[in-house]
Each structure stands twice: as structure tokens, then as C-alpha cells.
Amino acid sequence: MTRILAILASLLRGLLQAAFIVMLTFFLCRVMPGDVVDVLGLEGGLSAEQQAEMRHSLGLDQPLPLQLVNWVGHALAGDFGRSIRFDRPVGEMLGTALPVTAKLAALSFCFGVALALLLAVAATARPSRWLDAAIDVVNTWSIAVPTFCAGVAAILVFSIWLGWLPVIGGLLVPVLVIGLDNAGQIVKSLREELREAVMLPHVRTARAKGLSPWRIAFAHVLPAAMPVVLALSGLVLGGLVAGSLTMEVLFGLPGLGSLTLNAIHGRDYPIILAAVTLIALALVAINTVVDMLHRLIDPRLS
Amino acid sequence: MRPILDIADLGIAIAGRRVVRDLSFSIAPGETMALIGESGSGKSMTAAAIMGLLPPGARIAERSRLRFDGLPLRPEDDAAMRPLRGRAMSMVFQDPMSCLNPFMTVAGQIDEALQRLGTGNRAFSSEVDTGSREENPSKQRDGEFSRFGETRKYSSGQRRARILELLALVELPDPAAIARRYPHELSGGQQQRVMLAMALAAEPRLLIADEPTSALDATVQAEILRLLKNLQRRLGNALLFITHDLAAAAELAHRIVVMQAGRAVEYGPAAIVLADPREDYTRKLVSTRRMLAAPPQTPPVARASEPVLRIEELVHDYPARRILGRPFRSLHGVSLAIAPGETLGIVGESGSGKSTLARLAIGLARPGGGEITLFGTSIARMARLDRALRRRCQIIFQNPYGALNPRLSVEAAMREPLELLGLSNRDDRRRIEAALVDVGLGGDHLARYPHQLSGGQRQRVCIARALLSEPELLICDEIVSALDATVQMQVIAMLKALQAKRGFAMMFVGHDIEIVRWVSDRIAVMHRGRIVEQGPATAIVTAPQDPYTQTLMAAMPGSIGSATAAGRGEWRTPFKEHVG
């Protein structure tokens, strides 16, 4: 009962955060100099009367709070409006873009966290200079090499020099690039956290029981470091949205990132808002899951 | 008979500092050896070395010879030690709460210990072990020890039955229910029993118990010691019992090694060492115990005058941790009074509410109900005490490490209360120096920082600081619990001498009945937020009326002189036989 209450509370907190993010995005869009009509006007040479008429028909001449309320009302009913530039339903456009991004983000997240965990746990179970060196390399790589550089380099190596890209195709290279970057962000902290967890008294008990180093690392050290693992994973998730945006543009993937970037350039408000809402809700959902996991792992919290 | 454990010239160094030097002793099969010493004497390091669990950075001297059942031990070779741990030798530690894995059920943790029983070589394949190629060299070394624990290989059903059997062995009620629980759902005593069950899973030939009762309440301590003794009789394992408590060692051990600063200063049969100690250090330890057993006789304080502190029907609640949760009531209507110059001892186990009471008495927390009168002023509804009241009452806490700001020198730390209480004037320095001299320190300590002082010296500084304002009431919350026995004795003797000189009243909170009794004129016994019994110190100790007080007094160790004189007498020695 209390467990369910706590989860509901964290869900509610998350939804409030999401609402705040959407609202902020709404107003920030409008603070940017020039609106969609200006952009279209520059491209198509519209007269001042035509522009005013267009603003009126799009509802852009109404007060901002009223526009927000209208949008929220429609959005709650599942209607995200039509793209101003492409004149297609926003829901449909997101529907085709979302799976691409979701797959990219999920795969690179899993790859990154798995790689970091594997390196850190291995270095805990069997401390060696080589593993520590490998951890340092991955860590330095992610600090020093921006993903777009790594992405360009990967294109150069895989598709131009090796000519593999047609064979591998699609997501593999961007997943490797983002995943490696994610792993580098967390692996060092993870290693340090595990190094400290090894000093815990219950780990000494496990050693006194004569368990193997791998069993100790997985069953006794890792659970103790789990809160930090989860917190670090959350950190990576936040960065994933930005990371996948770069990769989508670089590799020409028709995902949420490309869509949003184009929409921002064209001030295509409905798409921006819908995409941001979607991303915010996804993050809230993930955070709730992480919170539940945390409670599931640590019996003292239930 | 060949000794099960034979240690010769053991030396251990950590970062170049030698923590154990030239230590030699041996344990026969089925024998109990006690390793006695104060903190930093190297006793736990010795145990860690035997198990191969030394912290990183610790080195064992070249010439050290350790033999287990005739075969050489290589404590620094983890792979060689692993097959022995949990099979031929196992260990229980001091603080069972943090030594059990909080993420696993009791059954899961014992099961882990059972799973790897079986032949030394096969055990590895059943574990999560992908590095099996690196395992090969250790498998060959395993061979030497393969006769240990080779007999059984449990199926999961057998393991389940064995878990329940082990939990029953350590006298836990309802093993099936305990097995399903997580460590935080057990009491301290139950946790330590689970640790024992886990350590005994393989029926080891040597059990090492490193201060197994120090983190537990007095009544629980006595039970665990009795259990250790019974189990050893039944299972016939050798026991290396590490403790700072002479009485416990006298009770359990056949032979004793007394350690000081890494060396064995005395070695021999328990009865002889304790009854007739040869070395200065052992004598000091023994005389500390004897001193505790014979408290000073002070004339009763006249209680006619107005009490310095009067507490009536005091109630206190800790707020609920969750929405919809119930607040935790820590005090249920506590009443007491302290006369000028009198010492009231408050005795209770952890969670009994004694520290909460101490904090309320000096206005550091606000009561939920009841009345607190400090020097005739009611403070129960006051947001904070005014300067005049604060000057007249002072509090000293348990942890002298936390009570001193590490960035302030002793002089700066002691100047602070003078300034805060508006007592500062030109001869501050002289007064601070005089206060330090009073507690057995001196002017050369003024410029030192807390990390340059020992635990006992830090607590002396805290006492000197509290006495600077010449308070009429001193509240001492477990002030010697974190100190070694000999230091404890020095500190309370000094405190009593200061009290005789200055005549302040004291509320002396503690869990160690002997120490509280030594200090106090009257004692109040607390249990679950209530004072169950209150009266003159001697009467409470020798003729307790309340059933809880009776169990508390029964758990108190007897004086070692008589325990050893009577051979190895009953644990529950009634105290009154040793008074006077």
C-alpha cells in the first residue's frame, strides 16, 4: 500500500515536471525572434496583409496564455494539430519519427550502460591495470571526442574505408558511437563507487564465506552501488535526447531529433510542442520505472 | 595433539607502520582462545590475517609462519585462501547489521554459503564464474585442502532443510519465518545469530569471532556469549574469540593472549592470567575491572532543597516518517528530579529513549507534553534557552570526534562558549588553561587540533569546555562509550573528582550498568520510553524490583576475580556477591 502510494507520488511529481517543461517550451518558442509567418514570408514573399490574415487564421494573434490553453485542451483530447509547414497531422508525423528515435535511444542506452557495468564489475572482481586503463580510455574518449566528430570518423572508417555501411546498415554505427559516449560518461564514477562498496562490511562477510570474486562483485558489491548506477543511468537518459538528435542529423535518420530540429528552424510550433511533450512524458515514465526499480532492489525502502 | 592453528612470529605492517609484531600462539582443536586488547592493539588485524582478509596495503612480514592443521597458510594469496574460508574456517564480525547483505533474505545469504560446499574443485563451476581459466592455478593448490568439506554436496531441497536446521541451531524461534526476512527486519541479536548460522554452515574446524557482542545491548550480549559457548561444546570447533571485555574472555576462554600495541604482553590459561596478572598492562586492565566492581561510597546528598532539574510526565514523539504513518512515541510520561550536587544515572538499552530525555532536559528538543523545570524555570514551552540558563547547564555527547570542529584548535574551540555566553574577558587564556589542567591536560594542548589528540584527550577537552561556564548541571550522554576500558575509567574518575571539588549536579546517561553505577548516587532504569525503576544506585543494582531491571542486572558480567577463582563459574553471577 505505502509502496503504491510512494510510486503514485513520484509519478505525480513527474507529471508536474512534464507540464512545466511543456509550458516553458511554449513560451520559449514565442520568445525566439520571428514567428512561423515571418519565416514563410521570407521564403514566399507574402505581403503585410497576407501575413496578418495568416496569423489570424492560425490563431497567432490571440494572447499567449489563451493560445496555450487552447493547445492544452486539444492535446488532452489527443489532437496535436497540423504542421503549419507540411500541413500534415502532427500525430502522424511523430508516429513515423518516434520508432526510429526510440530504437536508437534504447539500443545505445543499453549498450552504453552494459559496457560501463561490465568494465566496472570486471575491474572490481579482477583488479588489473589493463582494465583500469581501458576504463580511462573510454572515459577520456567521451570527454574529449564530441559525438559528431566520432560520428563523422565512424562514417569515414566504416563506410568509406571499409565499405561496410551498406552491409551493416542503419542503426549500428550511431548506436556504437552514442553508446560508447554514454559508457564513458558513467564508467569512471561507477568504478569509484564499486571501489568504495568493496569496503563495506557485508562484502567482507561475503569474502569470509569464501565466495568467488565474480559472485561477490555481482551479488554483493553491485546491489550496494545500485542507487548510484540508477542515478547515473538517469543522467545518461537525459543526454540521450540531445545525443540522438546529432546522430539522426548526421546519419540522415528520419527520427524525432531531425523532425524537431527542422521544426525549430521553421518555427513549426505544433511539432515542437508535441515532440517536447512526448519526450518529457517518456522521461517521466522512465524516471518512474527507475524509482520503482530502486524500491524493488532495496528491501529497506518498501 | 596437533594444533588446528599455529602462529609463529606474525608481523603485520600497514603503510610501513607495524600494527602486529612477533605474535605467536596456537589453538588446539576444540579449544577457545581469547585475544584481548584495546582498540589499535592489533587483535582484529591478526584475525583478518588468519582469514586472508587483510585490508589493501597491509603486508605480512616475511618470517611470519602460519599453519592451519599442519599445512602452511598463505594469507596474502586470495585464491589459495578462498577454498578454506567458509569451509575449514569461518568468521563472525562485530556489527551484524552492516555485516549482513541488506539486499538478500536470510535464507539467500545462508544458501550462498551452502552452495559452495562440496568438493573444492566442483564448487567453482557452480558459481557465477566466467574467469575459469584464471582459476586453474588455485585449483591445484586447492588439492592440499580438499579433505575439508568434501563430504557434502547439497541439492536445493537439502539446502533448504539445512538452512532451517542451522537457524534452529542458533536458537532462533520460528526458523521458517526468519529465513524469509531481510536483515533490517531482524533485531541486533537475531542478526548476530544469523551471522553465526552462516559461519557454522560448513561446520568449520575454526571459528573466529571478532568482538561478536560489542555492538549489542547488554542483555543480548549475555545471550550471544552463552550461545557461542553452547555451540562450541556441541560442535567441537576451535574458537578464536576477540574481545576488549575481560569478563567475557574469562567466561568463554580456556587460554588468553593479552595484546597491547601489536605485541602479546601476556599469554596463558585464562584463570591464571586474570587472577594473577604478571604484566603491568594486564594488571591495569584487571584493576580497571575491579575498580568498577567496587564503586566509591559517597554520603547521600541532602534532597531537601529545590531540585536543579525536575521533569514531570514528559512525553515526546518523533514525527512519522511517511504520510499516513503513526508518529513514534519515544517517551511515555517520564518523571524525575535531580537535586543540587547529585548524580542521577540513566540506564537503558539502545532505543529506550535515554538520549532523547537528555536532549529534552537541556532544551535541545521540544516535548510533546509534560513539564520540564530547569533551576525553577519552566522550559517545556520555550523556543530556546536564554543565556543565563544555558550558562548554568551544559551537555557533553558520546562522540568526541564529532563534538569538536576539526578546523578549530583546542583554544579556539574552548573560547567559543565563553564568547557565546558573554563570559569572555581578558584572562580567557588563563581560564582555559586552568580548565585544561583540571581535566589532566595542560597549556601545551592549547594549540593542538582535534586530530592530534587521542579519543580520551578529546573527551577531556569536551569536558573542560563544558565546565568553563561553571555549570550547576552537567548532562553526560554516553560520554565514555566510545573509549577504551582503561581510558573510560580514567575519564569517569576524573569527572567524579571534579564533581567533588565543584559540586555540580549530573545526569549521567549510559548503557553500561557498571559505569553508571560507579558514577551515580541514584539510578533510573529506562525501557521503551518509560522509567521502569528508580532509586539509590546500590539498591537498583543489588535488589532490583522490576522484572526488566532484573534481566538487565542478570546480564551484567560478574567480577573477573571471583569468576576465575571459582574455576570458570556461571555467567549469570548475581552482582551482590561482589559488592564490598
Side-chain angles (χ1 to χ4, degrees):
Chain A
M1 183 62 204
T2 40
R3 187 186 282 220
I4 295 168
L5 265 181
I7 289 169
L8 281 180
S10 90
L11 196 62
L12 191 70
R13 256 201 314 276
L15 286 176
L16 282 176
Q17 280 166 12
F20 182 71
I21 293 169
V22 170
M23 218 151 72
L24 201 66
T25 313
F26 182 89
F27 289 112
L28 279 179
C29 282
R30 302 310 169 86
V31 173
M32 287 193 291
D35 65 4
V36 63
V37 179
D38 289 329
V39 176
L40 288 174
L42 274 181
E43 290 169 359
L46 298 171
S47 68
E49 293 81 42
Q50 281 171 312
Q51 290 193 4
E53 189 190 337
M54 196 169 172
R55 283 205 176 88
H56 179 72
S57 70
L58 289 170
L60 295 178
D61 51 352
Q62 290 172 337
L64 275 186
L66 190 66
Q67 288 186 42
L68 177 63
V69 169
N70 282 338
W71 182 83
V72 169
H74 284 115
L76 285 179
D79 174 16
F80 288 96
R82 295 179 76 81
S83 160
I84 299 172
R85 285 173 70 88
F86 301 102
D87 199 31
R88 286 174 56 201
V90 170
E92 192 188 301
M93 293 178 75
L94 288 181
T96 52
L98 182 64
V100 178
T101 304
K103 221 187 287 174
L104 177 63
L107 285 175
S108 37
F109 173 74
C110 293
F111 170 62
V113 172
L115 179 65
L117 274 179
L118 204 69
L119 283 173
V121 171
T124 307
R126 297 226 172 265
S128 80
R129 270 186 303 143
W130 295 109
L131 273 171
D132 282 337
I135 287 173
D136 279 343
V137 167
V138 173
N139 179 244
T140 314
W141 173 271
S142 94
I143 294 172
V145 184
T147 44
F148 62 85
C149 285
V152 171
I155 292 176
L156 191 68
V157 172
F158 287 106
S159 59
I160 298 180
W161 291 356
L162 297 171
W164 283 2
L165 199 60
V167 186
I168 301 164
L171 288 173
L172 184 62
V173 177
V175 162
L176 287 181
V177 171
I178 305 178
L180 192 64
D181 189 60
N182 289 343
Q185 284 171 28
I186 61 174
V187 71
K188 192 88 178 170
S189 327
L190 205 57
R191 171 76 186 108
E192 288 313 312
E193 187 63 23
L194 291 183
R195 205 194 293 277
E196 276 180 24
V198 166
M199 304 292 169
L200 289 172
H202 78 254
V203 176
R204 188 184 48 184
T205 310
R207 292 183 65 203
K209 280 199 269 186
L211 304 179
S212 81
W214 287 92
R215 167 122 205 166
I216 293 174
F218 274 109
H220 296 270
V221 180
L222 193 54
M226 224 49 202
V228 173
V229 173
L230 290 176
L232 287 172
S233 307
L235 211 71
V236 166
L237 277 174
L240 266 183
V241 178
S244 57
L245 189 138
T246 323
M247 284 300 112
E248 282 170 18
V249 174
L250 200 61
F251 286 85
L253 299 169
L256 219 50
S258 320
L259 188 67
T260 317
L261 196 68
N262 287 331
I264 291 173
H265 284 314
R267 309 288 188 271
D268 202 341
Y269 304 130
I271 292 185
I272 302 176
L273 280 175
V276 168
T277 310
L278 199 66
I279 292 169
L281 286 179
L283 286 179
V284 167
I286 290 166
N287 263 330
T288 312
V289 170
V290 166
D291 206 41
M292 276 162 64
L293 278 180
H294 192 173
R295 276 162 207 285
L296 215 64
I297 289 164
D298 195 337
R300 288 169 298 185
L301 289 177
S302 58
Chain B
M1 201 175 359
R2 181 163 70 183
I4 186 76
L5 180 70
D6 189 15
I7 292 179
D9 302 320
L10 176 64
I12 305 172
I14 297 179
R17 204 169 58 85
R18 294 168 71 189
V19 291
V20 173
R21 327 170 163 222
D22 310 322
L23 180 68
S24 303
F25 66 89
S26 64
I27 305 178
E31 185 190 32
T32 300
M33 168 74 77
L35 214 52
I36 299 180
E38 303 197 323
S39 51
S41 61
K43 55 193 195 305
S44 287
M45 279 297 152
T46 305
I50 295 166
M51 288 290 286
L53 294 175
L54 281 173
R59 308 281 312 162
I60 291 181
E62 281 292 320
R63 61 178 195 296
S64 309
R65 293 284 170 271
L66 288 83
R67 297 181 88 79
F68 186 81
D69 199 24
L71 294 169
L73 278 183
R74 285 184 296 270
E76 284 174 294
D77 182 348
D78 199 59
M81 291 304 293
R82 210 181 310 141
L84 284 174
R85 292 185 210 135
R87 287 209 186 94
M89 52 166 89
S90 53
M91 186 162 178
V92 288
F93 301 94
Q94 177 167 2
D95 179 9
M97 179 67 170
S98 57
C99 285
L100 287 168
N101 185 339
F103 311 102
M104 277 170 107
T105 59
V106 167
Q109 300 192 45
I110 302 179
D111 196 43
E112 241 185 3
L114 290 173
Q115 266 178 35
R116 62 181 291 279
L117 296 180
T119 62
N121 295 352
R122 263 185 297 151
F124 287 112
S125 57
S126 68
E127 290 171 14
V128 188
D129 195 343
T130 48
S132 53
R133 252 185 308 154
E134 295 166 37
E135 216 69 281
N136 280 331
S138 71
K139 278 181 189 171
Q140 285 153 14
R141 273 178 303 224
D142 254 19
E144 301 168 12
F145 292 111
S146 57
R147 60 200 144 106
F148 301 122
E150 201 169 11
T151 47
R152 298 166 304 257
K153 176 82 184 174
Y154 295 109
S155 71
S156 75
Q158 284 171 316
R159 287 206 306 269
R160 175 82 199 153
R162 175 82 175 132
I163 289 169
L164 298 183
E165 187 186 308
L166 282 166
L167 290 174
L169 181 75
V170 294
E171 297 171 19
L172 278 166
D174 198 358
I178 297 272
R180 279 193 300 272
R181 294 207 192 144
Y182 286 97
H184 73 278
E185 298 168 319
L186 304 175
S187 72
Q190 287 173 328
Q191 287 167 350
Q192 195 59 291
R193 283 167 199 265
V194 169
M195 281 292 289
L196 261 174
M198 210 154 72
L200 295 172
E203 300 189 1
R205 305 187 54 194
L206 172 67
L207 176 65
I208 301 178
D210 186 359
E211 300 261 14
T213 59
S214 308
L216 304 173
D217 281 328
T219 48
V220 186
Q221 277 187 11
E223 284 168 21
I224 295 287
L225 285 178
R226 191 171 41 76
L227 178 67
L228 266 175
K229 196 171 175 176
N230 291 345
L231 283 175
Q232 194 210 12
R233 266 191 207 140
R234 251 170 90 180
L235 304 175
N237 56 289
L239 175 64
L240 178 60
F241 178 62
I242 294 169
T243 185
H244 66 274
D245 184 349
L246 280 189
E251 173 57 22
L252 231 55
H254 302 101
R255 285 189 300 154
I256 284 179
V257 177
V258 181
M259 286 186 75
Q260 185 201 13
R263 290 177 196 278
V265 292
E266 198 150 358
Y267 178 42
I272 295 177
V273 170
L274 294 178
D276 183 22
R278 306 233 168 265
E279 295 297 319
D280 276 354
Y281 178 71
T282 320
R283 275 198 197 134
K284 203 164 120 197
L285 280 178
V286 170
S287 68
T288 300
R289 289 285 325 170
R290 297 222 169 106
M291 181 173 157
L292 268 181
Q297 298 296 320
T298 43
V301 179
R303 306 197 64 226
S305 53
E306 170 73 9
V308 289
L309 174 70
R310 183 199 296 281
I311 288 174
E312 276 158 38
E313 291 302 323
L314 191 64
V315 173
H316 181 260
D317 295 310
Y318 280 107
R321 286 215 206 128
R322 290 191 287 255
I323 355 162
L324 307 181
R326 271 193 311 160
F328 174 72
R329 176 149 291 193
S330 51
L331 293 177
H332 304 256
V334 168
S335 301
L336 55 85
I338 303 179
E342 182 192 42
T343 305
L344 175 69
I346 311 273
V347 176
E349 302 194 327
S350 47
S352 61
K354 54 191 194 302
S355 285
T356 308
L357 179 65
R359 290 176 53 227
L360 280 167
I362 196 169
L364 289 178
R366 296 186 64 187
E371 196 49 66
I372 307 171
T373 314
L374 195 59
F375 307 114
T377 315
S378 167
I379 64 163
R381 310 283 168 266
M382 270 172 145
R384 53 183 305 191
L385 300 192
D386 58 30
R387 266 189 186 181
L389 276 179
R390 267 192 289 146
R391 190 196 64 71
R392 295 171 73 186
C393 61
Q394 291 287 328
I395 187 165
I396 308 171
F397 297 102
Q398 171 173 7
N399 185 351
Y401 301 78
L404 289 173
N405 184 336
R407 290 173 213 288
L408 290 185
S409 67
V410 168
E411 184 179 353
M414 293 189 63
R415 219 177 259 281
E416 229 171 20
L418 288 180
E419 283 161 8
L420 286 174
L421 294 172
L423 301 170
S424 189
N425 58 36
R426 242 181 299 156
D427 60 340
D428 277 356
R429 199 189 166 88
R430 190 193 54 73
R431 277 154 71 199
I432 291 172
E433 223 176 300
L436 284 176
V437 171
D438 274 349
V439 295
L441 300 174
D444 52 328
H445 292 92
L446 280 174
R448 296 214 198 157
Y449 285 87
H451 70 270
Q452 297 168 312
L453 303 172
S454 71
Q457 286 174 329
R458 279 178 237 200
Q459 197 58 289
R460 283 168 195 266
V461 170
C462 290
I463 293 172
R465 181 170 62 172
L467 291 179
L468 262 182
S469 69
E470 295 177 5
E472 292 154 62
L473 173 64
L474 190 62
I475 294 182
C476 305
D477 187 4
E478 296 264 21
I479 62 167
V480 295
S481 309
L483 306 176
D484 281 325
T486 48
V487 183
Q488 277 184 342
M489 221 43 237
Q490 292 162 5
V491 169
I492 60 174
M494 175 204 83
L495 196 61
K496 268 317 249 190
L498 280 172
Q499 189 187 26
K501 205 162 88 186
R502 304 212 187 166
F504 50 84
M506 270 202 286
M507 180 194 253
F508 193 89
V509 178
H511 67 276
D512 186 324
I513 304 137
E514 290 186 292
I515 286 179
V516 174
R517 168 172 172 269
W518 200 88
V519 174
S520 311
D521 303 314
R522 285 189 311 124
I523 291 180
V525 181
M526 288 197 71
H527 183 49
R528 295 190 180 159
R530 290 189 171 83
I531 291 183
V532 293
E533 195 169 352
Q534 191 170 176
T538 319
I540 293 278
V541 173
T542 54
Q545 301 302 309
D546 181 85
Y548 174 74
T549 318
Q550 283 164 357
T551 51
L552 205 60
M553 296 309 150
M556 186 167 59
S559 88
I560 49 160
S562 66
T564 47
R568 313 227 339 271
E570 269 299 294
W571 177 250
R572 290 165 180 274
T573 319
F575 194 89
K576 50 187 159 194
E577 290 176 21
H578 310 296
V579 176

